[in-house]
Structure formats: C-alpha cells, structure tokens
Amino acid sequence: NAGVTQTPKFQVLKTGQSMTLQCAQDMNHNSMYWYRQDPGMGLRLIYYSASEGTTDKGEVPNGYNVSRLNKREFSLRLESAAPSQTSVYFCATRPIPGPYEQYFGPGTRLTVT
Amino acid sequence: GENVEQHPSTLSVQEGDSAVIKCTYSDSASNYFPWYKQELGKRPQLIIDIRSNVGEKKDQRIAVTLNKTAKHFSLHITETQPEDSAVYFCAASKGTNAGKSTFGDGTTLTVKP
C-alpha cells in the first residue's frame, strides 16, 4: 500500500500563476487535511474534509481552494500564487471514527518568486 | 479555538542524557494528544500518543505524561541517541469536529555524541 501520496514533490511558480496540489490515499480514511509548514513553525491547517463531499476552512484558508473529488483524493488549488505562499505543503488523513493518529504524505515544496 | 504552546523551541543534550519537551493547551474538551517526530526533509510521524483518560504512557525510551487539570502534557526521552535528533511537535485534538488537530510550533532536539 502506498499510504498517502502527493504530487508534485517540488514546484516553482511565478507570482500570479495557478496550480493544483494533488493528494491521494489508499487507507480508506474518511478525513483528509491540508497543512502548510513554514520554517521554524508548526503545521497550520488550511482546509479539511471530514468526509467525501464536505470541506471546511482551517486556520489559514485565504488564497486557497480545495476539492474532495472522492474518498481517495483531496486537492488544493492556488488560484493566483503569492510569495507568501512559499511553504511546504502536507496532506494528511485520519480514520474517523477510530484512532486519531494522522498519517502524512511526503510533502510538496512550493516556491513562489 | 484551541491554542497549543510548546517549549522549549530548541533543546541540546549530550548523548545518554534525558530530554523533556512540554506543551500546554487551552481547550478543556481536547482529549487526544499525539507527539510527532519530523526528521529533516521528511514527513511528521507519530511516535507516541495519549488519551485524556490516561495519565502516563511509555514506549521503551519514550514516555508522555498528561495533567488534565493543568492542561499540559510532556514528552520524555531517556538515554538519548544521536538518531533522536529531529523536530518534535505536540498536538491536541477532540474526537468531534472532524478530529482537527492544533499543533505546537515544534522543538528542535539536538543530541550531541
């Protein structure tokens, strides 16, 4: 089993460009999350999806949109990238109900110039 | 919402010494407290967790203690080894609300040989 996968691994964008970060899981988990991690800081929640067909804002949703395409896939879209969105983005999943451990993807390192 | 504070932000110990990292949380309804280890360039991975109905949990050299009254929990690593060097994150979450977690800002642990 692949667990949680993310594509791409690295991306460089110019200010104003758009892109979509992809996340997929084969763990049959209901809940999925998108976090950003800036240097020296913890993980901040951007958006989450408690189950297929639902999405909700987290702490730092401005400048992002998400789509829960099906149970397996949860994508994060930057419509008009800004340098402040330079970060490492992690997708995570969790079985709800059940143990509350989160399982993280390998991350996408995004640089906006 | 929940607020998690983590101290210290950096910690340096000699190999074989013990390391202690402390976190406080604000929401008394939080009932699940995981600790994640993140090595450089890697994804966060769970190393130990504790639920609110337990005061202490041990797994070999790692232990976590929880004081619900004071709303704080701590990670204890004994007999530290160089491979324990990493960033450690605490988190707090509730069983409701899609199991969202709030993370501390992380502690960079360096174990000197």
Side-chain angles (χ1 to χ4, degrees):
Chain A
N1 291 343
V4 184
T5 58
Q6 290 182 235
T7 54
K9 286 186 169 48
F10 301 94
Q11 184 71 48
V12 178
L13 290 178
K14 289 185 170 36
T15 298
Q17 288 185 318
S18 63
M19 78 161 294
T20 300
L21 282 64
Q22 306 284 357
C23 175
Q25 53 112 352
D26 61 4
M27 307 176 81
N28 202 34
H29 289 171
N30 289 322
S31 291
M32 298 185 74
Y33 311 83
W34 276 106
Y35 293 94
R36 60 177 289 171
Q37 184 177 33
D38 300 313
M41 297 185 70
L43 294 146
R44 291 186 291 169
L45 184 64
I46 305 171
Y47 272 92
Y48 67 100
S49 170
S51 61
E52 186 179 351
T54 69
T55 61
D56 279 294
K57 295 178 181 178
E59 300 172 63
V60 289
N62 290 347
Y64 305 95
N65 283 302
V66 290
S67 295
R68 182 74 182 267
L69 304 169
N70 47 53
K71 190 171 186 179
R72 290 188 63 248
E73 298 171 290
F74 188 37
S75 62
L76 178 72
R77 183 160 178 84
L78 288 70
E79 290 290 352
S80 179
S84 61
Q85 293 178 304
T86 294
S87 190
V88 179
Y89 291 84
F90 287 100
C91 175
T93 72
R94 169 183 278 160
I96 298 289
Y100 299 135
E101 174 184 356
Q102 291 196 7
Y103 296 82
F104 287 86
T108 294
R109 187 173 295 273
L110 175 67
T111 302
V112 184
T113 61
Chain B
E2 177 68 277
N3 182 49
V4 176
E5 295 191 358
Q6 183 173 346
H7 298 281
S9 56
T10 60
L11 180 59
S12 181
V13 300
Q14 287 295 135
E15 183 176 359
D17 286 350
S18 294
V20 180
I21 303 170
K22 299 181 179 181
C23 288
T24 60
Y25 62 99
S26 61
D27 189 342
S28 56
S30 289
N31 60 4
Y32 175 68
F33 307 93
W35 286 90
Y36 292 86
K37 177 183 181 182
Q38 186 179 28
E39 296 176 346
L40 191 63
K42 301 285 180 67
R43 73 191 81 186
Q45 292 196 297
L46 182 80
I47 55 170
I48 195 166
D49 56 10
I50 192 167
R51 299 182 200 285
S52 59
N53 59 348
V54 174
E56 183 176 2
K57 184 177 178 181
K58 280 185 182 177
D59 183 2
Q60 299 183 350
R61 296 187 296 108
I62 294 172
V64 56
T65 58
L66 171 65
N67 183 326
K68 283 192 298 182
T69 304
K71 295 206 281 274
H72 67 70
F73 56 111
S74 300
L75 177 70
H76 304 253
I77 306 174
T78 59
E79 300 172 22
T80 54
Q81 300 166 3
E83 51 265 38
D84 294 329
S85 296
V87 180
Y88 292 81
F89 293 98
C90 64
S93 69
K94 297 182 274 201
T96 57
N97 203 13
K100 285 192 304 176
S101 291
T102 301
F103 285 80
D105 284 344
T107 296
T108 301
L109 174 65
T110 303
V111 180
K112 294 185 271 191

